[in-house]
Amino acid sequence: MGSSCCFFRWLLCSFISLLCFIEYPILVDSTNKNGLSGPVINVTKYISFPDFSSSTNPRIHHHVTLLGSAKFSNEMGTIQIPDASQTVDLRHQAGRAIYSSPIRLLDPLTQSPASFQTTFAFQFSNSTTSPSPSGPTRNNIYGGSGLTFIIVPDEFTVGRPGPWLGMLNDACDDLYKAVAIEFDTRHNPEFGDPNDNHVGINLGSIISTTTINASDVGVSLNDGSVHRAWIQYDGQRRFMDIHLGSDGGKYPSQAIFSGPLDLSPFLKEYMFVGFSASTGNMTQIHNVLSWNFTSTSQAFLRVPSTETCENKIIFGINGETTKTSRRTEPTSSSFMIFVAVVVLCVVILVNLYYNGKRSRVDQSNVVVLPVKKQRPRPPNKPRRFTISEISSATRCFSELKVVGSDSRGVSYRGTLLNGCHVNVKRFSSQFLNSRGLDRRRLVKEIGTISRVRHPNLVPIRGWCYDNREVMVVYDYLPNGSLNEWLFGVGVLPWTRRFKVVQDVAEALSFLHSKQLAHKNVKTSSVFLDVSFRAVLGDFGFVLSGSESRRFESEVSQKADVFGFGIFAMEVVAGRRRIEYSEVGEQEEMDLLEFGWRMHEREEKVKVVDRKMGAVVSWEQAVRVLEIGLLCTLNETKGRPSMDEVVGFLTMERPIPKLPPTRPVALFPYNSATDLCNGYSCPPFK
Ligand SMILES: *[C@@H]1O[C@H](CO)[C@@H](O)[C@H](O)[C@H]1NC(C)=O
Ligand SMILES: *[C@@H]1O[C@H](CO)[C@@H](O)[C@H](O)[C@H]1NC(C)=O
């Protein structure tokens, strides 16, 4: 009886979802021509730094991220690039100062860029402390490369020094979208520079699409005086204005650049803004004295909320029409709504009937984790969600909300009614129907895992379960999953990678100490929180694969260790375990095999990601690699426990010697089964 009740619940939820689906195209058709609907909201972001001194703004380090050679000068209250206290030789330095939070600069659906205005005062000098000389003279001409106002996709990449102005580096390929307005004081003809005193607009390339001779407006960028730039961008008209003048002087009536400019191909939805600068053979200190930035992007409410959904149902029943439906023709869609409403009423009645009956039926078959009604619930206690709650949170599982997918299902980003952002994993029916998978056990595991808390585990807010669907609701982490950072366009520095490996080891060691296991360890299960701490989420809960169940309790922790080994190697190498070689051959290059081969030849450094450049602790990287290889050993041949791995990483425990050659017949290599978390793994013995 309980299950048929659940079935009707499900039916009810499905109809609500169906209604949402039906409404969506109507709204799209019936409102404005851009294919958008609902009220348009202007979302404004305002940043203001009257100066950059930590005495007036103690939290300056939280607001502005410094990268490379850059510092805050307390004496002058400025950002200084390069940082003269860090190094004696100021030649060939590059640095960035980036506002720490991303800013929405593009609507991905309409591809319309946001509008923004920014103004900043800057000065180039040859010493770190002396204020500007009493007046610009031809004598103090310095020779650094220049400064840019920059819009970049991440806040950890630094570009090359010299003529690259810290804008791009060798690892930035065509996918690294960056926009810069350069104030260039070196003449590099090979980069298309007209002279050593120009402003340029750089779209995804260090070669400017437009250059302006600053001398034409009487400005000499490196004369030691304080200049001010105003940059205005109108996203709707795709039009840019740049003004350049002296700080404290009048706003120049004449723009140095004013013209159409489409930034949208060079923007992602969220970007970081700030400054970059560099020196080459000649040096100067680039100071930014003050900065204001305002952006306005437009948000559309595209799909009605549940309240709207429900209101419409009530309106429909009362025979009234709503604003939006009034605008539509009486089409087949309206008819479908009518049919849906009638069926919905029947479903509600039947559901009520069975609910009445259910209260008399015992609770034992209301499968797992019964909801206790009396006790008030602490706000963050994991709970059961209804399908309609999740459906409205994810806008009826809209494709726009998809953040990832794997063999187990699809992850959606969603917003609960209370405004909390969540990540919903919806297990695929293929996974749920796979042989040997017991849904009740899956839900029970979700309940068990949701009760443990650790700083390196993504908190579970709840789950949703009925006869058809199993979903898990996690906290949403704004920085996304590690694989995007690791295999994306930026370069994750080694110190951060090492921290990530440690965090994940801690999380697994904690889980194992509670006799639990993650069962889905891989880079896409690791997320980065706002402070870039790694948190492990996207639990597997059960091992997939039919035979595995019998052995599951024994093997799952060992499989976690194996998964961690591959994970650690991927982090060190900056590539996925299986990658197709670039030459177009469809030949797989197995990272695990490669790692062992390099170990046999004593050339493990060759596995370390070269994109990280020289700023790597090679010794540490090789140690992590060795730990990774150890974790892939057969269980009887020395695979460590996660507790031991934590000890290896903190150097509290010596790392056992790896066998000199790879133990033979270890693993099936190209097995596509995800018996071990998507990685192929040794057969269970
Ligand atoms: C949003 O901004 C645009 C362009 O700046 C303006 O035309 C429009 O009136 C604003 N809308 C609202 C609701 O403030
Ligand atoms: C830049 O402008 C100055 C002054 O107007 C002029 O002397 C110089 O030749 C110009 N340079 C170029 C490359 O156009």
Side-chain angles (χ1 to χ4, degrees):
M1 195 53 71
S3 62
S4 58
C5 170
C6 283
F7 173 69
F8 283 114
R9 283 261 177 86
W10 172 80
L11 214 56
L12 176 73
C13 298
S14 316
F15 270 105
I16 293 181
S17 319
L18 180 64
L19 278 182
C20 293
F21 271 117
I22 296 170
E23 302 253 326
Y24 180 50
I26 296 175
L27 284 169
V28 166
D29 294 343
S30 64
T31 49
N32 67 47
K33 296 170 205 77
N34 297 333
L36 296 165
S37 67
V40 179
I41 311 162
N42 285 344
V43 184
T44 301
K45 173 91 189 175
Y46 180 60
I47 305 170
S48 175
F49 293 100
D51 63 54
F52 294 93
S53 113
S54 56
S55 49
T56 55
N57 188 351
R59 290 182 55 78
I60 188 78
H61 282 277
H62 294 269
H63 297 313
V64 178
T65 305
L66 299 179
L67 301 163
S69 185
K71 73 164 207 169
F72 297 115
S73 159
N74 259 334
E75 300 94 86
M76 290 186 65
T78 64
I79 295 170
Q80 294 192 330
I81 304 172
D83 175 5
S85 62
Q86 209 179 49
T87 163
V88 203
D89 186 1
L90 290 180
R91 289 177 307 159
H92 305 288
Q93 301 289 322
R96 277 189 190 174
I98 300 289
Y99 185 68
S100 303
S101 312
I103 292 173
R104 190 168 183 269
L105 285 181
L106 182 76
D107 184 327
L109 199 66
T110 60
Q111 287 293 308
S112 39
S115 300
F116 62 84
Q117 290 131 35
T118 185
T119 176
F120 49 91
F122 63 99
Q123 179 212 24
F124 303 152
S125 64
N126 60 358
S127 101
T128 55
T129 48
S130 76
S132 59
S134 47
T137 65
R138 291 308 296 171
N139 295 335
N140 40 38
I141 300 289
Y142 325 117
S145 300
L147 173 83
T148 77
F149 168 73
I150 197 162
I151 303 175
V152 283
D154 63 51
E155 25 73 285
F156 51 74
T157 302
V158 185
R160 281 179 67 167
W164 279 270
L165 302 176
M167 177 180 170
L168 299 171
N169 65 36
D170 301 347
C172 301
D173 54 14
D174 294 345
L175 294 172
Y176 185 92
K177 301 184 166 186
V179 174
I181 310 296
E182 63 171 38
F183 300 85
D184 195 334
T185 51
R186 289 291 290 165
H187 184 196
N188 297 103
E190 68 277 23
F191 284 72
D193 292 351
N195 62 1
D196 61 359
N197 185 38
H198 64 272
V199 178
I201 299 173
N202 303 352
L203 302 177
S205 157
I206 193 62
I207 298 174
S208 310
T209 51
T210 307
T211 55
I212 306 114
N213 183 351
S215 313
D216 283 346
V217 289
V219 172
S220 176
L221 291 171
N222 57 358
D223 63 3
S225 67
V226 181
H227 307 288
R228 177 170 285 277
W230 294 262
I231 301 167
Q232 275 137 353
Y233 187 64
D234 183 333
Q236 276 176 339
R237 285 169 57 222
R238 297 173 199 230
F239 199 90
M240 185 177 270
D241 287 290
I242 305 174
H243 290 79
L244 181 64
S246 72
D247 188 39
K250 274 208 318 272
Y251 178 69
S253 53
Q254 186 82 41
I256 58 165
F257 174 83
S258 182
L261 190 68
D262 187 6
L263 294 186
S264 61
F266 306 95
L267 297 175
K268 298 204 301 180
E269 180 169 12
Y270 289 93
M271 301 287 284
F272 292 85
V273 295
F275 302 93
S276 77
S278 68
T279 56
N281 277 331
M282 294 170 77
T283 68
Q284 70 192 1
I285 306 287
H286 306 85
N287 288 284
V288 180
L289 290 78
S290 65
W291 180 31
N292 284 355
F293 177 93
T294 311
S295 71
T296 308
S297 65
Q298 297 193 321
F300 300 90
L301 294 179
R302 294 194 180 93
V303 173
S305 62
T306 23
E307 289 104 315
T308 334
C309 252
E310 279 159 10
N311 285 345
K312 283 191 196 296
I313 297 165
I314 294 160
F315 275 129
I317 291 168
N318 293 344
E320 287 177 32
T321 46
T322 62
K323 255 193 213 160
T324 39
S325 53
R326 205 178 295 132
R327 266 184 261 154
T328 47
E329 307 290 316
T331 56
S332 58
S333 307
S334 323
F335 177 68
M336 278 181 75
I337 293 183
F338 172 74
V339 172
V341 167
V342 170
V343 177
L344 189 62
C345 291
V346 174
V347 170
I348 290 172
L349 287 176
V350 175
N351 191 36
L352 280 177
Y353 171 74
Y354 276 113
N355 256 343
K357 275 199 152 186
R358 197 190 101 194
S359 51
R360 274 170 271 132
V361 179
D362 74 324
Q363 296 248 315
S364 64
N365 48 2
V366 185
V367 205
V368 232
L369 311 161
V371 185
K372 290 201 187 91
K373 280 182 185 138
Q374 291 82 9
R375 257 191 263 153
R377 177 185 295 283
N380 283 330
K381 193 162 180 218
R383 67 176 176 99
R384 188 168 177 168
F385 287 85
T386 62
I387 288 212
S388 59
E389 269 179 291
I390 296 188
S391 174
S392 77
T394 57
R395 307 253 168 103
C396 306
F397 301 104
S398 155
E399 257 178 48
L400 292 171
K401 295 280 171 180
V402 173
V403 288
S405 65
D406 62 11
S407 62
R408 289 162 188 260
V410 181
S411 295
Y412 297 86
R413 179 187 175 168
T415 311
L416 298 178
L417 277 182
N418 63 5
C420 288
H421 297 297
V422 290
N423 189 329
V424 177
K425 176 79 170 208
R426 185 191 200 185
F427 288 109
S428 67
S429 51
Q430 199 188 6
F431 172 71
L432 291 174
N433 295 333
S434 57
R435 216 147 49 85
L437 188 113
D438 179 349
R439 289 173 195 217
R440 294 184 190 198
R441 211 171 60 82
L442 172 64
V443 177
K444 197 165 156 227
E445 287 289 330
I446 297 172
T448 311
I449 300 267
S450 70
R451 283 193 284 272
V452 300
R453 285 281 191 271
H454 186 270
N456 297 117
L457 291 176
V458 182
I460 296 181
R461 280 184 180 269
W463 57 88
C464 174
Y465 173 51
D466 72 12
N467 284 359
R468 286 295 183 87
E469 297 266 10
V470 180
M471 293 183 243
V472 193
V473 182
Y474 296 96
D475 273 5
Y476 182 78
L477 290 151
N479 275 329
S481 56
L482 179 68
N483 57 332
E484 294 160 25
W485 293 92
L486 204 54
F487 313 126
V489 287
V491 180
L492 206 56
W494 171 251
T495 46
R496 205 160 259 171
R497 293 190 200 202
F498 183 63
K499 192 75 190 38
V500 161
V501 172
Q502 279 184 313
D503 286 346
V504 172
E506 293 277 356
L508 286 173
S509 163
F510 168 80
L511 274 179
H512 293 181
S513 74
K514 302 276 175 206
Q515 316 308 322
L516 298 168
H518 183 273
K519 303 177 193 173
N520 193 24
V521 181
K522 52 186 181 186
T523 53
S524 61
S525 303
V526 174
F527 298 83
L528 297 173
D529 73 2
V530 277
S531 53
F532 278 88
R533 183 174 52 192
V535 275
L536 191 53
D538 199 5
F539 293 84
F541 301 110
V542 291
L543 288 186
S544 52
S546 49
E547 318 96 299
S548 61
R549 241 201 87 199
R550 256 174 47 218
F551 306 97
E552 185 161 332
S553 55
E554 299 161 42
V555 300
S556 53
Q557 294 189 356
K558 288 162 182 157
D560 273 1
V561 178
F562 182 87
F564 176 82
I566 303 287
F567 164 81
M569 292 179 70
E570 289 187 335
V571 171
V572 173
R575 50 157 284 205
R576 293 185 177 84
R577 175 174 176 192
I578 307 289
E579 230 165 49
Y580 292 95
S581 60
E582 283 171 17
V583 206
E585 307 160 32
Q586 291 290 298
E587 201 186 324
E588 287 175 352
M589 243 280 273
D590 190 307
L591 178 59
L592 183 54
E593 204 173 353
F594 180 59
W596 277 106
R597 206 175 332 125
M598 290 302 113
H599 164 66
E600 283 160 19
R601 294 197 208 149
E602 305 265 329
E603 290 178 328
K604 284 192 285 283
V605 282
K606 284 200 176 161
V607 184
V608 180
D609 189 357
R610 256 179 249 145
K611 288 201 297 292
M612 289 187 287
V615 281
V616 181
S617 162
W618 296 97
E619 200 190 326
Q620 210 177 39
V622 168
R623 199 164 70 235
V624 174
L625 193 64
E626 278 175 0
I627 295 170
L629 288 171
L630 265 180
C631 291
T632 64
L633 285 176
N634 218 320
E635 288 137 38
T636 52
K637 302 255 169 61
R639 190 185 303 181
S641 70
M642 279 320 295
D643 190 41
E644 288 169 327
V645 169
V646 170
F648 300 153
L649 286 167
T650 54
M651 304 282 278
E652 278 160 18
R653 227 181 246 272
I655 302 176
K657 243 185 129 41
L658 281 167
T661 59
R662 188 178 81 217
V664 280
L666 252 188
F667 344 96
Y669 280 114
N670 39 14
S671 147
T673 68
D674 64 352
L675 208 51
C676 275
N677 321 324
Y679 304 120
S680 54
C681 63
F684 300 119
K685 280 275 139 55

